[in-house]
Amino acid sequence: MSELIILHNPRCSKSRQTLQLLQDKGYTPEVIEYLKTPIDKMQIANIIELLGFSSARQLMRKGEDAYKEQKLAKEENETALIQAMINTPKLIERPIVLANGKAAIGRPPESVLDIL
């Protein structure tokens, strides 16, 4: 198998459950705490493509206060949406698992097993 990475937020229960599921299945993913080690524009664009999303908005946590405060619901520019995720990483949906040239969001955690 190629590299296995989880973009992880240890304060998020779904992220913790997804990491535990991977470990229980015998996998040892590289854990990137994306709030401490932010991902860049190219990485976000790649994740959006790997997920098959048509818009950066699909990768965003629309319930976050920062989403509302930054008035992102009205933003149509994809570059601006990606920049908002760079500036405010907690806007990025979590957890994201990358493996075998694919990506999956761990909501529910079991959904990441499809890419392994």
Side-chain angles (χ1 to χ4, degrees):
M1 181 175 76
S2 67
E3 189 173 29
L4 174 62
I5 298 170
I6 181 170
L7 298 178
H8 178 60
N9 178 351
R11 295 186 67 194
C12 170
S13 64
K14 293 294 183 202
S15 197
R16 291 191 309 270
Q17 290 169 11
T18 300
L19 178 57
Q20 188 64 54
L21 175 67
L22 292 171
Q23 292 169 335
D24 290 350
K25 295 285 186 183
Y27 296 102
T28 306
E30 176 185 349
V31 177
I32 298 175
E33 289 188 33
Y34 67 94
L35 296 177
K36 292 181 182 177
T37 307
I39 57 178
D40 63 27
K41 180 181 178 178
M42 292 279 283
Q43 291 168 313
I44 291 173
N46 185 51
I47 290 167
I48 292 166
E49 182 178 332
L50 291 175
L51 289 167
F53 289 168
S54 59
S55 172
R57 185 178 320 281
Q58 292 173 273
L59 189 60
M60 300 180 91
R61 296 177 56 82
K62 296 167 208 62
E64 287 287 336
D65 289 341
Y67 185 85
K68 296 167 188 140
E69 291 163 5
Q70 296 177 40
K71 299 178 176 51
L72 295 171
K74 295 181 181 182
E75 182 60 65
E76 296 297 325
N77 184 296
E78 290 292 308
T79 302
L81 293 172
I82 290 173
Q83 190 61 50
M85 287 186 272
I86 292 167
N87 296 343
T88 313
K90 68 180 179 179
L91 287 171
I92 301 170
E93 187 59 80
R94 62 186 179 254
I96 300 169
V97 173
L98 304 163
N100 301 314
K102 299 176 185 174
I105 296 174
R107 291 187 174 271
E110 295 77 19
S111 66
V112 304
L113 298 176
D114 294 339
I115 67 168
L116 300 178

